[in-house]
Every structure is written in C-alpha cells, then in structure tokens.
Amino acid sequence: MERTEQKYLTESCMANRRKLARAISGKKEKLTHNKVGGDRFIPIRNDKQMEVASFLLSKNEPRGKYNAASSSDKGKALPIALNGYDIQDANILSFEVKPPNAPEGYQNNLKVLQSQAPTRIANQRRQVSSYPYRVLDAPHLRNDFYLNPLDWSSRNHLAVALDDSVYIFDVTEGNVTLLMKCENDYICSVNWTKDGNHLAIGTSDGKVQLWDVESQKCLRKMSSHRARVVCLGWNQHLLSSGSMSGHIHHHDVKVKHHHIATLSAHSQEVCSLKWSADGRYLASGGNDNMVYVWPRVQEGGISSDSQPVHRWDAHQGAVKALAWCPWQPNILASGGGSNDGHIRIWNAHSGSCISSLDTQSQISSLVFAPNYKELVSAHGCSHNNMVIWKYPSLSKVAVLHGHADRVLSLAQSPDDSTVASIAADETVRLWKSFELNEDRMANTTCSLIHQSIR
C-alpha cells in the first residue's frame, strides 16, 4: 500500500500541497480572529484534511470505497492519508441546513440602508383649504330648495338672484352691478350662455327673459309656461326651461316663434336641467324623484311627443342635483333630496347605474372638478356643508364647512379652480379648492390632448 501511495503522491506534490494548505490555513485562522463578522462562511482545514481530499481527487474512485464508517480496516487501507480523520471531514466544501449565527452585536449595513431608504407614499391625500377665500353678502335670498339662483360665466362674472333682483358680480374686478329688478314677482333661475355675453332669467310668472349683460338691456321675453320657471339650460342657440307644471320647453332664440318643442314626462315640478358637454343629451330631474335623459332636439319643426332615452327611478327624494362629467360626456351624476341623500353615477349610453353612495344628507347641487377628477356635492339638512369626492371611487377627499344654513346651489369658475356656493344663511362663498400646480397642469394638458385624439 505504501508503494501505491508513493505512486500517486510524489514528494514534490506533497510539498506543494503542504505549502498551499499552510497558506490557506493561516489565512482562515486570521479571519476567525477578526471580531467583525460577515455573510460568508469558509471552513477551516488543516494540512492532513487537504491531503486526504487531494488523494481522493487524484485517486478518482468512489468515496464509498473508503468510507471509514463501513470499513473495518480504515487505518490499514489509508494509513497516511486518513491518519485518524473521517473521510466525510475531508470535503473541501461543507454545506449545512442554515449558516452559523452572526457574532453578537453584528449589524448588516446593507440591510440597514435598505430599510431606511425613503419610500414614496402612493395616493397621498392632497391638502384642501377648509376656508373660503372670499365671502359675499346675499341679502333677501329666498330659502327655496328648488330654485337655481347662482351661475358663473365664462367671462368670470357671477349672476346671483336675490328675491326680485339679479346682481352681477365681477370676480376679477370685484364690482357688483344690479342688472334687473322685476315687479310683483321673484327670480327663480339664472343661466349664462357659453360665451358669457347673455344671461337667461326665469321668473315666477312663467316667463323667460334674455339679457345682454354688457349693455344691460333685455333682448327678449319668452312666454310659454303657465307656472314658475325654476331651471334653465343652454345648448348653443337652444334654451331649455323647466317649469313647476312638470313640462320642459325648448326655445330657439334665433326664430320668432321660439317655442319649438315640449317634453312631458315629469308629474311634478322640474327642478334641474343639464345638457351634456357634447350636446347629445339633456338630463332632467324633478320633484317626482325621477331622472330622465332626452335626446337632442332635431333641427326644424315643432315636436310635442319626444320620448326620453332613459327613465331612472332609483332616487327616493327630489332630484335637483345633476352634473355631466366633462371628460366623460356619457357619465351623469345625480343627487337625491332629504328622503334619499344618495349620489348615483349613471352611464347614459347603457342606461346602467355605475355606482351609488349614501351621503346621509340632502343633496342640492353637484359639480365635477376636472382639474383633479373629483366631484363636489352641496348639502342641506342636516349637514349644511360641501364635500369633495374622488371620482370614480367616491372616496371622501375633504369636507368644507362654513355655511350656517343649508347650501342651495353651486357654480364653477371658468378655469375650474374655484367653486362658489350660495346658502340660506344669505352668503356666497368662494372656495379655491382646485388650483393647479405646474406639474398638475402639465399632466392635465397631456390627458386632455390624448382624450381629444381618441
């Protein structure tokens, strides 16, 4: 057996292996005395272990042949190579189930850096001022839930109906002008044309007046209703008016015989009219708890038998609050009165109700805020406040308190940054809740461009 060993392990090979083993062993021993641990585990072996491993590699025979546990003559079979060591201990690499524990007090710097790295908070709630930036007195305002006494023009003018008078407030300059005053009647509704030059006014005697605000002249008085006109809506040169009788009249202001169509579906007072942004649909809400969606009026001819596209009866209270989504023209939001208190989102194409939310309060008005893709609701009893909701999740963003009595109506500024509210406490409050920073303006502009392309 000694000759066999001499055949495979020459003196020169043994000398080189011993030098290598001593160098490795000394290096590993130095590392073990280092008090700072690491994430690497390198086993420490002596010269004889390295010799056994080298012999097994050069022998190129299966390990089981020299398994000390099963061989009764391991000392005779491998007297030089083994020298009292188990062959299993001669493995160059030793794998265990789990690495050894780190020294006490050791800290992994990489892990600390990772855990302390700043993280970006997703969907962080934005800050909304809970105070109006301007408050205006509105004396002699009629505390009537069904009236629509407030509207904001594209020229930054607020029209406010106070009992029998209409006032124009220039938001830019801060000036207030008395536009008109009626006798023996009161003002029920106001609505600006898209260009902001003309104002439609509905009165309690069933008439609709058309005014040139700049020249302060009444251009036309249109009589067709037999009861008060509490809501108005423009679609280019077509003016729609809703009456206490439950009828909706279409007026073409370009022709002499202005009354071109009548829509009869509501059984009680029509208290809200809203045209969609693309002019395809007219939504009407009434005191009969109904919401109707009507098609666009065909050019020419008088029609009295137009049928609604949709008829929704989900609300359990008067529907005065209606708002079309500016960036999704087929989406309509409706709000119910004190017996209902629900905000419902409708798809005018399919006729389905997309979502519903119980606000537990009377809803008098709704407006969409496109700058932040949000919805604003105005409330009467018992909350008497305004709430900003994220669309389409309808999660609450902010609650705006300030009015001492129920909020009757809302209007939105031309740049969509501000909402005006008028309440039974005889005040008009301006809330700058939707101002855009530079990053937000860039994102919104890009979004609008893509939507127009689609």
Side-chain angles (χ1 to χ4, degrees):
M1 193 64 184
E2 293 180 355
R3 295 179 180 179
T4 305
E5 294 175 358
Q6 293 176 355
K7 178 180 179 180
Y8 289 96
L9 301 175
T10 62
E11 293 183 359
S12 59
C13 290
M14 291 293 294
N16 292 336
R17 291 192 182 102
R18 287 184 182 129
K19 291 180 181 180
L20 178 61
R22 282 194 295 271
I24 294 175
S25 177
K27 186 176 181 180
K28 300 302 181 291
E29 184 176 0
K30 184 178 179 180
L31 288 175
T32 58
H33 290 85
N34 192 351
K35 297 299 181 181
V36 180
D39 59 350
R40 297 180 59 202
F41 174 70
I42 301 176
I44 301 172
R45 303 186 182 279
N46 56 28
D47 297 349
K48 296 179 179 180
Q49 286 177 307
M50 293 297 296
E51 292 173 3
V52 174
S54 299
F55 170 75
L56 293 177
L57 290 175
S58 61
K59 185 70 176 175
N60 196 21
E61 294 203 19
R63 183 182 302 172
K65 183 176 180 180
Y66 302 98
N67 193 332
S70 60
S71 176
S72 59
D73 56 348
K74 66 176 182 178
K76 298 179 181 179
L78 298 172
I80 298 177
L82 294 177
N83 195 19
Y85 287 93
D86 195 328
I87 292 181
Q88 296 295 334
D89 295 333
N91 292 338
I92 295 178
L93 295 178
S94 177
F95 298 97
E96 299 182 7
V97 177
K98 53 185 287 188
N101 295 328
E104 183 178 358
Y106 171 72
Q107 195 174 32
N108 189 342
N109 294 329
L110 295 177
K111 184 176 181 180
V112 172
L113 289 175
Q114 183 179 5
S115 63
Q116 293 179 350
T119 56
R120 183 177 180 180
I121 300 177
N123 299 326
Q124 186 174 8
R125 179 174 294 182
R126 66 185 184 89
Q127 298 297 320
V128 179
S129 175
S130 58
Y131 300 96
Y133 83 96
R134 181 173 290 180
V135 180
L136 307 172
D137 289 328
H140 310 299
L141 175 70
R142 296 182 72 90
N143 186 5
D144 191 330
F145 172 79
Y146 301 100
L147 304 187
N148 291 274
L150 184 70
D151 198 25
W152 204 326
S153 78
S154 59
R155 295 197 171 190
N156 212 20
H157 292 164
L158 267 176
V160 184
L162 302 179
D163 194 23
D164 58 354
S165 305
V166 175
Y167 291 88
I168 305 299
F169 173 64
D170 189 334
V171 181
T172 304
E173 302 295 333
N175 302 325
V176 179
T177 305
L178 175 62
L179 177 65
M180 60 87 68
K181 185 180 178 68
C182 59
E183 298 180 1
N184 303 322
D185 297 303
Y186 60 90
I187 308 301
C188 299
S189 55
V190 292
N191 195 244
W192 290 97
T193 56
K194 187 176 181 179
D195 58 12
N197 293 324
H198 301 91
L199 180 68
I201 301 173
T203 61
S204 60
D205 62 350
K207 293 183 174 59
V208 178
Q209 301 182 20
L210 184 59
W211 283 75
D212 185 331
V213 176
E214 186 175 358
S215 62
Q216 297 187 14
K217 292 183 178 180
C218 181
L219 303 179
R220 193 168 190 177
K221 292 184 179 181
M222 297 177 288
S223 300
S224 59
H225 291 289
R226 297 182 179 180
R228 66 178 188 174
V229 180
V230 295
C231 53
L232 298 164
W234 283 98
N235 186 5
Q236 297 179 354
H237 59 88
L238 183 70
L239 175 63
S240 303
S241 59
S243 172
M244 190 175 184
S245 63
H247 293 159
I248 301 171
H249 290 180
H250 290 315
H251 310 271
D252 189 343
V253 299
K254 287 188 174 182
V255 299
K256 181 178 180 180
H257 300 288
H258 56 86
H259 182 200
I260 62 171
T262 299
L263 307 179
S264 301
H266 289 282
S267 59
Q268 297 185 37
E269 184 169 27
V270 182
C271 46
S272 182
L273 289 175
K274 297 291 182 180
W275 280 98
S276 61
D278 56 7
R280 293 185 59 186
Y281 300 112
L282 172 67
S284 64
N287 195 34
D288 55 0
N289 309 341
M290 298 297 299
V291 178
Y292 290 97
V293 176
W294 307 87
R296 178 170 45 200
V297 179
Q298 299 297 325
E299 294 293 335
I302 298 178
S303 174
S304 298
D305 56 354
S306 298
Q307 297 299 316
V309 177
H310 299 295
R311 176 185 180 274
W312 296 319
D313 59 357
H315 288 288
Q316 303 301 314
V319 183
K320 182 196 173 188
L322 292 175
W324 290 95
C325 181
W327 61 91
Q328 291 180 303
N330 62 310
I331 297 300
L332 175 69
S334 63
S338 56
N339 293 331
D340 181 72
H342 282 76
I343 296 176
R344 301 185 187 275
I345 308 298
W346 307 90
N347 187 323
H349 288 174
S350 64
S352 60
C353 181
I354 300 175
S355 60
S356 176
L357 174 70
D358 186 4
T359 66
Q360 299 181 350
S361 182
Q362 180 188 56
I363 304 172
S364 60
S365 188
L366 292 169
V367 293
F368 277 97
N371 290 353
Y372 285 87
K373 301 294 188 294
E374 292 171 344
L375 179 66
V376 186
S377 59
H379 299 274
C381 57
S382 58
H383 293 169
N384 301 332
N385 60 10
M386 299 162 56
V387 182
I388 301 176
W389 311 90
K390 192 66 181 176
Y391 179 83
S393 64
L394 296 183
S395 59
K396 188 178 294 184
V397 177
V399 180
L400 306 180
H401 298 281
H403 287 290
D405 208 333
R406 62 178 180 176
V407 184
L408 299 174
S409 188
L410 298 177
Q412 201 165 19
S413 64
D415 62 356
D416 300 318
S417 67
T418 308
V419 170
S421 60
I422 189 169
D425 59 3
E426 297 187 344
T427 63
V428 177
R429 298 173 186 261
L430 276 59
W431 311 81
K432 198 176 287 292
S433 304
F434 308 99
E435 284 189 301
L436 291 175
N437 53 36
E438 293 182 359
D439 295 337
R440 189 79 187 186
M441 290 179 65
N443 294 337
T444 303
T445 303
C446 179
S447 176
L448 291 176
I449 290 175
H450 286 304
Q451 289 182 7
S452 62
I453 293 175
R454 289 198 298 268

